[in-house]
Amino acid sequence: MLSFNLVKQIVKEIMKNYKSVILIVIGCITLLAACKKSETFPVDKVSISYVFDPRDSAGTNAQKYLLNIYSVLKNGHNRVGGDYLDAAGDDAVSSASGRDVTVLSTGNYTSVGFPTSENLWSGTNSTNTYNYWSGIRYANEFIDNIGVVPVKDAIINGKVNGIGVSTRYIWKSEARFLRAYFYFELVKRYGGVPLLGNTVYNINDNLALPRQNFSDCITYIVNELDAIKDSVITVPLNNPSADNYRVSQGAVLALKARVLLYAASPLFNSSSNSNALLGYTSYSAARWTAAQTAAKDVMNLNAYHLDPVFKNIFLTQNDPEVIFIRTVDNGHGIEVNNAPPGFSSALGTGNTSPTQELVDSYPMING
């Protein structure tokens, strides 16, 4: 016979166990919810779908990605450790000791032993890779993905058959130009290189790609430039203060002329060359004609001319002699590295010293 107190005790124990089950179930649900909130992609990384967003009608993030490709371009004439490129050739010598530019001027380098800042094949710095293979990969990623971004704007002065071209399409052409430029700079230094097309390779892919012949690389670069020459902005620019750094039709035609000029030069255009990776294996005068025609195409734009005031080239933002530029900040590194010692408040160090031959090549007022 059960007493009332015993029944109470039994019920109490049942409820106690029931509460434990409830707490366990709640704990499991909470744990599952927490698992669902765990990161499926590293939070410090930006996914490709964020950059190329089908909801971004302004193309804000895609444009930032394009600007990142532009940033791979090397700085200009004073980029080798602050020394002018003149000091890498016969026009000047560096007055400072232990300079990277001296390695270039004295020929103490190999195909893999360039000064770090000039190693376009595999050079890196502490924050980012800045070799031109990286630039080619960035360009391919942009070219492959920009099509999903519904950019509404169109640029009227970039024309195909007289019709305004969408900004998205012009951006894609700019990326193709940059890729062609990167390839040219690699081919100029190393001869034929692997041509990747639009493929973006991953770590699990076969990366042991064969080099293409020099002639195949030149043909690829020229064909790319021909394909985009009518789908980029034209000169005069509608917005010169904002767009003067961008690829224009003049830049496309000028790069084509330079590529063909190098290809026609004795270094690559020679019957004595037996290695198709390093140049043409037969001479052709037609290559000079092609280079001449390409250069005349730039002139026929009537967009550029010599500035009668030489210093304006360095002082005027949109000087008529300038075809394509890489913009940098308003620092005074050039003055510090190259002004005469003690000159100005920055105390120039006078690194670049012109040779007498360079001085003699400039005529005096009296002849």
Side-chain angles (χ1 to χ4, degrees), residues 84 95 332-354:
Y84 268 82
S95 302
H332 57 272
I334 294 178
E335 290 79 6
V336 171
N337 287 322
N338 300 290
F343 180 78
S344 80
S345 59
L347 299 178
T349 56
N351 290 2
T352 305
S353 299

Side-chain angles (χ1 to χ4, degrees), residues 24-291:
I24 292 171
V25 172
I26 292 173
C28 291
I29 293 173
T30 303
L31 183 60
L32 289 172
C35 290
K36 289 182 179 179
K37 292 181 179 178
S38 63
E39 38 179 272
T40 58
F41 191 84
V43 294
D44 62 333
K45 303 295 183 183
V46 175
S47 69
I48 204 76
S49 61
Y50 176 81
V51 176
F52 301 101
D53 189 343
R55 301 164 299 177
D56 184 9
S57 61
T60 303
N61 291 330
Q63 185 182 31
K64 290 179 181 178
Y65 199 89
L66 177 61
L67 294 177
N68 181 63
I69 306 173
Y70 273 98
S71 72
V72 179
L73 293 167
K74 296 299 178 189
N75 288 332
H77 40 82
N78 66 316
R79 68 173 184 250
V80 186
D83 282 295
Y84 268 82
L85 287 175
D86 299 72
D90 298 329
D91 289 339
V93 295
S94 178
S95 302
S97 60
R99 308 293 288 189
D100 283 344
V101 74
T102 304
V103 175
L104 299 177
S105 64
T106 56
N108 291 319
Y109 58 87
T110 66
S111 60
V112 295
F114 280 99
T116 302
S117 61
E118 287 299 290
N119 187 346
L120 305 187
W121 191 279
S122 59
T124 61
N125 59 23
S126 60
T127 58
N128 190 17
T129 57
Y130 62 101
N131 62 73
Y132 279 178
W133 286 116
S134 297
I136 291 169
R137 180 182 178 86
Y138 298 153
N140 281 351
E141 288 179 333
F142 187 91
I143 292 164
D144 285 349
N145 292 283
I146 187 59
V148 305
V149 184
V151 184
K152 293 181 178 179
D153 293 340
I155 295 180
I156 302 303
N157 75 328
K159 297 178 183 293
V160 175
N161 299 324
I163 303 173
V165 180
S166 71
T167 297
R168 177 177 66 183
Y169 189 56
I170 289 179
W171 286 349
K172 183 176 181 179
S173 294
E174 290 179 34
R176 291 176 70 178
F177 169 91
L178 293 170
R179 181 176 64 181
Y181 181 92
F182 298 146
Y183 270 124
F184 168 59
E185 290 294 329
L186 290 169
V187 171
K188 185 170 71 174
R189 290 164 172 78
Y190 302 104
V193 299
L195 296 174
L196 309 183
N198 293 345
T199 304
V200 178
Y201 287 88
N202 295 310
I203 192 170
N204 295 322
D205 293 328
N206 178 17
L207 302 180
L209 304 175
R211 295 170 62 183
Q212 304 296 315
N213 289 341
F214 174 86
S215 61
D216 293 335
C217 292
I218 295 298
T219 298
Y220 173 80
I221 295 169
V222 170
N223 286 344
E224 280 290 287
L225 297 173
D226 281 339
I228 64 173
K229 62 183 176 62
D230 293 320
S231 57
V232 290
I233 59 176
T234 56
V235 179
L237 301 173
N238 281 343
N239 191 359
S241 61
D243 293 337
N244 63 346
Y245 70 92
R246 294 178 61 187
V247 174
S248 67
Q249 187 179 56
V252 174
L253 296 179
L255 178 59
K256 177 184 175 181
R258 176 171 289 190
V259 171
L260 291 174
L261 178 64
Y262 271 76
S265 70
L267 179 63
F268 301 114
N269 185 19
S270 173
S271 299
S272 61
N273 178 32
S274 60
N275 190 338
L277 292 174
L278 302 181
Y280 296 107
T281 55
S282 61
Y283 173 80
S284 173
R287 296 187 183 113
W288 287 108
T289 302

